[in-house]
Amino acid sequence: MAVDIQTLEDRYIGFCRSHGASPSPAILSSFYKAEVKKSRQELCVLEIVIDDICDFDFAPLLDTCMNLDASEIEAVDVRNESSCLLNGECAFSLLRAINQKLRVVELQDVSFGNDFLRDISQRGLACQVLTLRSSRFRKLNLMGEFMHMHTLNLDFSSSLTSFDEDCFNCMPNLRCLSMCETRITNLWTTVAALSKLPSLVELRFQYWQYCSDSGSSFNLSSGNSDSTADFNLLERVPFVGEFCTDTRELTDPNAEDPLRNFYSFGEEAIDHDIQSMVEDSSDDSEIGCTRHHHRSWLSDVFPGWNLQVPLQNEFTLRNEDEEDSSQGSFTGHIADVSMKYMSRHASPICHEKHYREFMIASLPNLKNLDNVPIRKTDKERATGIFSEYFEYLPYRWKHKESVVSILQKREIKSGHIKVQSSKRSPPYPSGNSQYFYTRSLSAAKLGSSTWPFLHPLSLLGCDLGKGFRPRQFEYHPSDSSLMVFGTLDGEVVVINHENEHIVSYIPSLGAMNSVLGLCWLKKYPSKLIAGSDNGSLKLYDIHQVPRKITSIYGNSGCVTFDEFDQLTSVHVNATDELFLASGYSKNVALYDINSGKRLQVFTDMHQGHINVVKFANHSPSIFATSSFDQDVKMWDLRQKPIHPCFTASSSKGNVMVCFSPDDQYILASAVDNEVRQFLAVDGRLHLVFDIAPTESSQNYTRSYYMNGRDYIISGSCDEHIVRICCAQTGRRLRDISLEGRSLGSSMFVQSLRGDPFRDFNMSVLAAYMRPGSKSEIVKVNLLASSGDAEDDSDDQRPCLSHSMGA
């Protein structure tokens, strides 16, 4: 026979006597409440609020909890609502002692240390519902057993930015997950992690609700009684403006916010007027909630509504999936009021364009997203949007293939993998093409590696006792192992980036400041041009430069050219005879490499200063310039560049321009993620890449080609994302998130280059804004898994200025 509650309470009092402690009034009150519930034939739940428990209360309570299995107590809820006197080790021991009767756990980690979180992660809990509000972890990595958990609430975990690849393998029954106001940003890694949850049906990264001018507030919900019950706990989180009478309260910085002083991430409230909700369903508007764009998908969620007039007395939305018709509906009773829709506490991932469609298309078992039910029409629309704007696998391969299978097909020359046909799809090669199997292998490897291998370069053989501060870098055009980088201190360093050894070192000796221009010669692969922002221009022969780092360096192997003031860019032509220099002026200088002389200065080529100049890869007389006057211009030295061959314009200032490897296209990158591709023959616009702006005039964007001209990579100095897009269709293939390893370190893209010898490999110059920290060059291999990376420690990474240059 089970031990009744009164007997259990008596045992607790007896344990208190044996430990020399007084019974806790809070614990006695919990026993009394449980007995009242039992008398009412309700679920007999023992609620323990550990805020009220001191260390001397712990031992008697722990002994009592070890006897719960044989008691009438049916479930135990443990809550921590504020600061707690109980240490983390005791709190975890208590949770483990309750064991199988543990139902709900609500914890805030303000009172518990990292060891407490580590114990939960590694050893797991037997609870059904876990609410964990923490500012201590950035990457979610739950490795222990959470077999009974069906609801996980991580709302307001303000440092959470990403997931470990296997973090959800241990919770097969998780149905509901909420991560409002976290810092999750990456669609691809998020979906890859969530796809490990076979039972997930309800997901939330923001809290959609609508509020009437009369003061009533309604939540958008699925109407599914089971899933709603799962989220009853989540609804206890106080959302600002939940019962608002005027939406100005949601954006007024002086309005009282019960969360403002408690959570560090800040409020993200998007208030939409009803008129802004009405959008054509065929419109390519942004999906979800963004900070700067007020177009919405709600007209598709609520088809047939005339949102410009008062709503009818009753509105019913039913799911069009027959099998889910009872679960996917809700009814709101609204009488002659105008409604305003609000997104509460949105995580940054919600600001991504087409966020909602991407999640729906990628997680087919999902029934509710952000408090809004998912209908059959939503799924159909999501499939179309995904196909239009995203690539599931490289080169439009439709299905993941094993590497072994592809190799077998290559050996027997059997068949080929079909690609999805589309009016925007390029004519990718058939199975008879020499590129077919290479691209198939890339698709297979990338499909199995959502978390790419990121490896910061660490240079060996450095005996100066200090780290480098790289500002610019270039791969060697013919030696796949070599890379050169210039530093903020005017040094030029040639490295073998495969074994991370220094090949040649050229100190500044006060002659150079920040190195912004670097370019290898093609026919003379041991030579390179280096230019600094103080105008210094030199040609070096690395075969005549000492490999060992020393404080003395002569002029051997060095040619000095006339200075070009405020230099930002240098580039050598296809025959290694000439090079161009540009800078913070409207002029471009032409130099003869053989004679070491400046041949000519072309003046007033733009209305604003010229940031980057690039020669074509194959034509030695053709070059392009990009300027903050919003123009990109093509020039021909044979025509005495007084008038451009053509002018192509962006809507913002152009940061850089480059030619595709075959010179068929030029790629222009303007401020704040405006990336355009033009036909090099006449400057006609070929493609505008659909990358959302941040509305920052200082968000300098740089883009380059990768895999020949198949893909482009793009990054900006105010963001930690590298975006990979198909150069023929503009579809997004992946976003790569760069994260500093230490808590609170912010990483931004200062520059980047595609590896000319390895498909889906690149390097990124990462800038850290934390004072006293180092910059670094990070190698990215999308075809290898992050699991291959070593656990490198990082700290102290310096800040880089946002000076111009490629």
Side-chain angles (χ1 to χ4, degrees), residues 181 240 250-251 266-271 289 342-346:
E181 203 154 312
V240 180
L250 302 174
T251 54
E267 178 185 353
E268 186 67 50
I270 306 300
D271 172 23
C289 155
M342 291 154 290
S343 168
R344 314 301 304 138
H345 305 287

Side-chain angles (χ1 to χ4, degrees), residues 59-91:
L61 179 60
L62 183 65
D63 291 342
T64 305
C65 289
M66 290 181 176
N67 291 270
L68 288 176
D69 287 345
S71 71
E72 293 180 333
I73 298 294
E74 297 177 76
V76 179
D77 294 349
V78 178
R79 291 189 170 90
N80 156 231
E81 298 174 350
S82 60
S83 60
C84 179
L85 299 176
L86 199 64
N87 63 53
E89 183 179 355
C90 291

